[in-house]
Amino acid sequence: EDQVTQSPEALRLQEGESSSLNCSYTVSGLRGLFWYRQDPGKGPEFLFTLYSAGEEKEKERLKATLTKKESFLHITAPKPEDSATYLCAVLDYGGSQGNLIFGKGTKLSVKP
Amino acid sequence: KAGVTQTPRYLIKTRGQQVTLSCSPISGHRSVSWYQQTPGQGLQFLFEYFSETQRNKGNFPGRFSGRQFSNSRSEMNVSTLELGDSALYLCASSLFGGQGGTDTQYFGPGTRLTVL
């Protein structure tokens, strides 16, 4: 069964303490991997799209990377405002139509 | 420029009823996607419309349906509501959808549906 698994479920960091979030996937026809950030009571905010293994994208303190089986979201010197739930999703074309599969998310808390 | 708007923001229905939710994408965006978010299941993809055609579809029963109009506005309909349909329903718009380059998806604030 196609699935997307994110780890850890929750992560607590001190301000300035860098870390990485993981998104592993098992799909038959990957067409793209997406990272989102979601704050409580709001819709997800798009961060990155990755299409092929070896691809990397950066935005401020965030850097996303992709391999054939997983993606990492690296957070460098995080600040309290980076606290949010980070979601990854995979666009799978294994069936007749594409299906966007989400992980359960990693809840990040950054303490000052 | 105006963001994605969803109406209504809150809705209370009873089991067996049907409901229609509306989503207005950002001007110029042709792709609209719908998602269901619950605490237990997380964010689940319902379907994507592009130029009035359903392009992608998630694993939801036929009670969930949608359509897109020529102005790219989209509606989602849920018939014969069940208690488990209580959720936050989100829509997102983008220029080309998930197949286009560095296309960005912008989410609306969501419609909170409660089924009693």
Side-chain angles (χ1 to χ4, degrees):
Chain A
E1 177 183 328
D2 296 341
Q3 64 176 13
V4 177
T5 304
Q6 290 188 247
S7 61
E9 290 185 12
L11 181 62
R12 292 185 177 184
L13 299 174
Q14 287 297 124
E15 184 172 2
E17 180 186 1
S18 301
S19 187
S20 296
L21 312 182
N22 178 264
C23 172
S24 63
Y25 59 90
T26 54
V27 296
S28 54
L30 177 69
R31 289 298 185 92
L33 185 142
F34 305 79
W35 281 99
Y36 298 88
R37 167 200 171 121
Q38 186 173 26
D39 295 300
K42 296 187 177 181
E45 174 188 344
F46 176 85
L47 294 174
F48 305 107
T49 306
L50 301 168
Y51 289 101
S52 57
E55 191 174 358
E56 299 181 352
K57 289 191 177 173
E58 289 187 65
K59 179 182 179 181
E60 298 180 352
R61 295 177 292 281
L62 300 176
K63 178 180 177 180
T65 62
L66 181 65
T67 71
K68 287 186 178 181
K69 291 298 181 185
E70 59 190 348
S71 176
F72 292 93
L73 184 66
H74 307 276
I75 303 177
T76 302
K79 298 182 178 181
E81 53 262 41
D82 294 323
S83 297
T85 295
Y86 290 84
L87 301 163
C88 85
V90 168
L91 184 60
D92 175 27
Y93 269 80
S96 58
Q97 283 187 307
N99 186 13
L100 195 61
I101 306 167
F102 276 87
K104 294 292 179 66
T106 293
K107 186 175 182 179
L108 174 65
S109 298
V110 182
K111 302 300 182 185
Chain B
K1 115 182 169 180
V4 178
T5 58
Q6 292 186 245
T7 57
R9 292 293 312 279
Y10 303 92
L11 204 51
I12 300 176
K13 291 286 187 179
T14 57
R15 281 182 298 174
Q17 288 186 309
Q18 74 166 22
V19 65
T20 299
L21 312 181
S22 180
C23 173
S24 293
I26 292 171
S27 178
H29 285 192
R30 296 165 64 187
S31 169
V32 174
S33 298
W34 287 91
Y35 303 83
Q36 181 196 67
Q37 189 171 33
T38 60
Q41 298 299 318
L43 201 68
Q44 294 181 287
F45 172 71
L46 282 156
F47 29 66
E48 182 207 4
Y49 284 87
F50 180 81
S51 294
E52 301 178 67
T53 300
Q54 188 182 87
R55 185 163 64 179
N56 298 322
K57 185 178 186 300
N59 298 319
F60 275 81
R63 298 186 298 107
F64 292 83
S65 62
R67 59 177 176 170
Q68 186 180 34
F69 302 95
S70 58
N71 63 357
S72 293
R73 190 178 70 85
S74 177
E75 288 182 347
M76 187 191 86
N77 184 274
V78 187
S79 63
T80 318
L81 285 167
E82 301 177 358
L83 295 179
D85 296 333
S86 294
L88 180 67
Y89 290 89
L90 295 157
C91 84
S93 80
S94 63
L95 283 170
F96 305 113
Q99 298 181 28
T102 57
D103 204 20
T104 298
Q105 293 197 31
Y106 298 91
F107 277 81
T111 294
R112 173 72 64 183
L113 172 64
T114 301
V115 182
L116 302 177

